[in-house]
Structures are given as C-alpha cells and as structure tokens.
Amino acid sequence: MTYMDEEKQVAKDFIDCKIPEYIYDYDEEFNKKHNLNVDTMEYYEALFDYAHCILDDIPLESNFSLALKNKELYFLIEQQNKNFIEQDFGEKASKLLEVIAKYKDISI
C-alpha cells in the first residue's frame, strides 16, 4: 500500500503533536461525566497506530479501532481542544481521521 506524501505529512503532524492530559491520563470520573464507554487513550492509540501504518505504507490496522466508532469522542476532542495548550490537536486528529476514512470504513 502506498499513501500520498500529503497523507504522510498529516500522519507525521499527528504523531508529533503533544497528547492532551485528558486523553493521556485515564480518568474514570471524566469518562462518566462525558458518558464515554471507551477509554480516551484507546481512541488516541487507534489514531497513533493508523498514523504509523500510513508512514510505513502498510494497510491500516489497530487493536483499538473500535474506539474510532465512538461519536462522542469526536465532540469531546473538539470541546476539550479549546482549553488545551496544543490548540490544534483536534484539527490534527480530524485531518488524520479524514485520511483514515479514505481507506477504512469509519464514519466521521
């Protein structure tokens, strides 16, 4: 599998982005408050795995791919992004999701 240079740049930009604390630090109370049925770190792991697949020109695979089907996480990322020092994390994640959706059956 070969991905375009622009797609690889999107993957690299995501990998280089700092992980927000609300994703990195699993917080059961945070998940309950936002009605999440998935660990936010699993969502990040799926994106991270797919980004590496794109950079390595291999088919998209991740043990955490089910996390990408949680619609609440998309909304949460955008809302939390407003308060995070890395203001463009949500944008980088969204761009990567667009690339993933081009090759994988996920709805964004």
Side-chain angles (χ1 to χ4, degrees):
M1 171 137 256
T2 303
Y3 300 95
M4 297 179 352
D5 289 341
E6 295 84 14
E7 294 168 335
K8 288 183 177 191
Q9 186 59 53
V10 168
K12 183 176 179 346
D13 290 345
F14 179 80
I15 289 170
D16 292 344
C17 186
K18 184 177 180 207
I19 304 172
E21 283 185 34
Y22 70 91
I23 289 177
Y24 187 72
D25 294 331
Y26 177 76
D27 183 348
E28 190 172 328
E29 290 301 315
F30 181 87
N31 281 10
K32 283 181 184 177
K33 177 182 174 186
H34 294 285
N35 217 15
L36 297 174
N37 296 321
V38 66
D39 183 345
T40 52
M41 192 61 184
E42 287 183 11
Y43 177 79
Y44 177 83
E45 286 289 341
L47 293 175
F48 184 82
D49 289 347
Y50 285 149
H52 276 284
C53 290
I54 291 167
L55 290 175
D56 295 337
D57 284 325
I58 59 174
L60 299 175
E61 293 292 329
S62 174
N63 291 335
F64 304 103
S65 60
L66 285 178
L68 296 183
K69 296 192 183 288
N70 190 321
K71 298 279 186 207
E72 291 83 13
L73 282 168
Y74 300 123
F75 178 73
L76 176 66
I77 294 279
E78 290 304 316
Q79 292 301 315
Q80 293 298 316
N81 192 51
K82 295 175 184 172
N83 299 323
F84 182 59
I85 207 162
E86 177 83 37
Q87 292 294 317
D88 57 353
F89 177 81
E91 181 180 322
K92 289 176 183 178
S94 293
K95 285 182 180 180
L96 181 58
L97 282 166
E98 289 174 17
V99 173
I100 294 166
K102 185 175 171 182
Y103 299 97
K104 198 87 169 152
D105 184 25
I106 64 165
S107 55
I108 55 173

